[in-house]
Amino acid sequence: MSDEDAERSDTRRLPTLDKTPDGTDKAGGTDGTGGATPSGADTPATGTAGHDRVRRFRSARRVPAALVALVLLAAAGLLLYDVAAVRANRPAMAWRRWLAHELGTRHLDNPWVLAPAALAMVLGIWLIVTAVTPGLRQVLPMRPAAPDVRAGLDRAAAALVLRDRAMEVAGVQSVRVAVSRRKAKTHAVSHFRELDEVRADLDTSLGEGLRQLGLAHELRLTVDVRRPKKR
């Protein structure tokens, strides 16, 4: 066997991209024995059939939780100390005797009874709402790029990006962008060009900018274009 024949036997063709009947690319090629190599047999799937519903980011609520814990700890400690003092044949604290006397003599329709009850109800409702709502309204959830990765975009940052895109439109002198959880409101001032043309360009540019932000929930865009005020 010559050196040329040995070189040919050790040479293999690289995989090529062949067009399938449906228009997609299929990796294929031949090995040293002339057989076709499998195309995409060990290639992992790059996409999924659908994404789970993207939820908002939840706040840790550290400040309300710490305040409630401190108040309950102080009240429980004070009450426990007073009960232990009474069990040790010592008189109860003045505040507990006064509270027992007031609760025993005042009727339920008394304003001094209704006011604390209303305050306790409002605080309870506030704590329940705080516990069940996500919070972090300033963070907009983004579309997941990976199964175990969550990303969010601050509303102020999104407004700044849209503002920069709006300033690139010809005829825009100044612009204000306000981004909420569901809307992106744009108020622009145009000092030349027709207002309809400027508004159309802003709709196109800002609509593309919203798509490029990659938000999980599409924001509704509103554009208002006016002339500068005369001085």
Side-chain angles (χ1 to χ4, degrees):
M1 180 182 293
S2 62
D3 295 340
E4 184 178 358
D5 294 336
E7 182 180 359
R8 289 179 179 176
S9 62
D10 294 337
T11 304
R12 296 183 179 182
R13 292 181 55 189
L14 296 176
T16 58
L17 293 178
D18 300 331
K19 291 290 185 179
T20 58
D22 58 356
T24 58
D25 293 335
K26 180 180 70 175
T30 58
D31 56 11
T33 61
T37 58
S39 60
D42 298 330
T43 304
T46 57
T48 57
H51 296 292
D52 296 335
R53 182 175 180 269
V54 179
R55 299 183 180 276
R56 290 173 52 193
F57 290 87
R58 298 193 71 91
S59 175
R61 309 290 192 185
R62 294 184 178 91
V63 175
L67 292 177
V68 172
L70 289 176
V71 171
L72 292 179
L73 180 61
L78 186 62
L79 183 60
L80 181 61
Y81 175 81
D82 192 38
V83 171
V86 173
R87 292 291 183 178
N89 296 324
R90 293 186 179 181
M93 291 185 177
W95 66 268
R96 198 157 74 109
R97 295 197 303 269
W98 172 83
L99 181 61
H101 177 267
E102 292 294 328
L103 292 177
T105 57
R106 293 185 182 272
H107 297 284
L108 295 179
D109 58 351
N110 190 282
W112 290 101
V113 176
L114 296 177
L119 179 60
M121 183 183 65
V122 171
L123 290 177
I125 293 175
W126 174 69
L127 291 175
I128 293 174
V129 172
T130 302
V132 300
T133 53
L136 292 180
R137 299 176 62 89
Q138 294 296 327
V139 180
L140 300 174
M142 302 177 68
R143 290 191 297 269
D148 297 331
V149 177
R150 293 189 65 195
L153 181 64
D154 191 80
R155 281 162 46 181
L160 183 60
V161 172
L162 296 178
R163 177 187 175 277
D164 291 341
R165 290 186 66 96
M167 290 300 298
E168 296 176 356
V169 175
V172 175
Q173 183 180 21
S174 63
V175 62
R176 292 184 296 106
V177 180
V179 176
S180 63
R181 287 178 52 200
R182 296 180 178 86
K183 297 181 181 179
K185 298 181 180 180
T186 304
H187 301 276
V189 176
S190 176
H191 58 299
F192 71 93
R193 295 183 67 195
E194 294 294 332
L195 296 182
D196 293 338
E197 297 178 358
V198 176
R199 186 180 296 105
D201 291 346
L202 285 174
D203 286 334
T204 303
S205 178
L206 296 180
E208 180 65 23
L210 286 175
R211 286 188 292 271
Q212 292 179 359
L213 289 179
L215 300 178
H217 308 288
E218 184 178 356
L219 301 180
R220 187 164 66 253
L221 177 64
T222 59
V223 178
D224 179 29
V225 183
R226 299 180 181 180
R227 292 297 185 192
K229 295 181 180 180
K230 297 181 179 180
R231 297 181 180 179

